[in-house]
Amino acid sequence: MADLLIRNCDAETKRALAVRAAQNGRSQQAEALAILREALLDEPKSWVDLVIENSRSVGGMEFEPPRRHASRLTAVEL
């Protein structure tokens, strides 16, 4: 495994990492690694995938189909 050194980390960020690590029962190193994995290795989801995923969590959703308007263009006789 490779090592990663993060320089110039401000005190507030380090404190937030320590709090989050404690909340998740991990070391700061394990928490930072989990954050990186989540941010970089998960496949990005489209908004459609997010809607489908969220609708499943609430038992589904129903949508009204879009209303179709009569064509505004008419044929021109020559």
Side-chain angles (χ1 to χ4, degrees), residues 20-71:
R20 184 169 164 172
Q23 289 171 340
N24 292 322
R26 301 180 199 166
S27 67
Q28 290 182 39
Q29 180 179 353
E31 188 65 26
L33 185 56
I35 291 168
L36 284 170
R37 279 187 181 134
E38 183 180 321
L40 300 174
L41 299 180
D42 285 348
E43 185 174 318
K45 296 181 180 180
S46 71
W47 69 270
V48 174
D49 293 333
L50 293 172
V51 168
I52 291 169
E53 183 178 301
N54 287 325
S55 69
R56 287 184 183 138
S57 69
V58 295
M61 292 183 187
E62 292 185 20
F63 295 94
E64 290 289 324
R67 293 183 183 172
R68 302 291 182 196
H69 299 286
S71 175

Side-chain angles (χ1 to χ4, degrees), residues 10-23 31 35:
D10 62 274
E12 182 61 26
T13 302
K14 186 169 183 334
R15 187 197 67 72
L17 178 63
V19 169
R20 184 169 164 172
Q23 289 171 340
E31 188 65 26
I35 291 168

